[in-house]
Amino acid sequence: MMMMMMQLQETTNQKNSLFNAMNRFIGAVNNMDQTIMVPSLLRDVPLDVERDMSSVKTDMDEGDMYSYYQLLKSIRRDIEWGVRCADERRKESMTISRTHSSASVSSSGSSYCSEEEDDEEEADLEKQFQYHLTGLQGVLSKLTQQADVLTKRYKKELGIGGQ
């Protein structure tokens, strides 16, 4: 009995794991990708943002369905393969800033922290991790919804599938 309760609890907790949130998102984007056979049909098809995407607004709210399709596929690629390009851009900008002002020192290098401040920062790492993990799971949930909505809208536009 105790073992069964523990398994139920683990299953509930696993449902909320980051790994499962990423898998749900990737699955929704894969479904979207398999459903949308002609992505170019999404061009210039406006999103009904108020009705379809009210809970998942982004900077691209003025875009069309094709923009959302590309965005979702790009995010899936970043999750599956990493964000190497973003890291390379960051390194590039660091190199550029060093060459433009060789006398400037980064704020982290120029400030001296006491041991007390270091301890506070380390103790705060768990809070920071929880904060960012919660945020990431929330974003992944919204992106999953976005992929599902886009797939449904595509089917509706083409008049296929039973809504």
Side-chain angles (χ1 to χ4, degrees):
M1 175 82 166
M2 182 72 132
M3 183 63 131
M4 192 170 153
M5 297 252 311
M6 191 155 173
Q7 287 175 338
L8 283 175
Q9 189 176 19
E10 286 176 5
T11 305
T12 303
N13 289 338
Q14 288 173 345
K15 179 183 175 193
N16 297 320
S17 77
L18 177 60
F19 182 71
N20 285 332
M22 287 189 299
N23 280 333
R24 282 190 297 272
F25 169 71
I26 289 169
V29 174
N30 287 343
N31 181 46
M32 175 191 76
D33 217 10
Q34 291 170 359
T35 301
I36 299 173
M37 300 304 255
V38 185
S40 61
L41 292 176
L42 299 172
R43 289 190 191 277
D44 301 323
V45 177
L47 285 168
D48 188 352
V49 176
E50 295 306 314
R51 188 171 52 91
D52 290 342
M53 303 284 189
S54 60
S55 66
V56 287
K57 292 190 176 199
T58 68
D59 292 340
M60 297 180 64
D61 281 344
E62 301 303 316
D64 57 9
M65 286 177 60
Y66 186 76
S67 300
Y68 275 96
Y69 173 80
Q70 293 292 27
L71 172 70
L72 292 166
K73 286 183 60 167
S74 173
I75 293 170
R76 177 189 63 189
R77 188 173 38 255
D78 287 346
I79 289 173
E80 290 177 330
W81 298 101
V83 287
R84 197 178 97 225
C85 292
D87 288 342
E88 288 173 2
R89 279 190 297 243
R90 191 175 16 215
K91 286 177 185 174
E92 249 178 48
S93 70
M94 289 170 67
T95 305
I96 291 169
S97 66
R98 283 187 197 143
T99 57
H100 286 304
S101 64
S102 58
S104 71
V105 180
S106 71
S107 61
S108 62
S110 63
S111 66
Y112 295 97
C113 297
S114 69
E115 283 184 38
E116 225 173 79
E117 289 172 344
D118 286 343
D119 290 343
E120 285 176 20
E121 284 180 22
E122 284 182 26
D124 201 39
L125 286 177
E126 184 178 5
K127 284 182 182 177
Q128 290 177 21
F129 174 76
Q130 292 296 325
Y131 173 79
H132 290 292
L133 181 63
T134 302
L136 182 57
Q137 286 177 316
V139 168
L140 284 169
S141 176
K142 289 177 181 179
L143 290 170
T144 301
Q145 279 182 296
Q146 203 172 20
D148 291 340
V149 166
L150 196 130
T151 303
K152 288 176 188 170
R153 275 290 306 275
Y154 178 81
K155 287 180 175 180
K156 181 182 172 188
E157 293 292 323
L158 292 182
I160 58 174
Q163 299 165 327

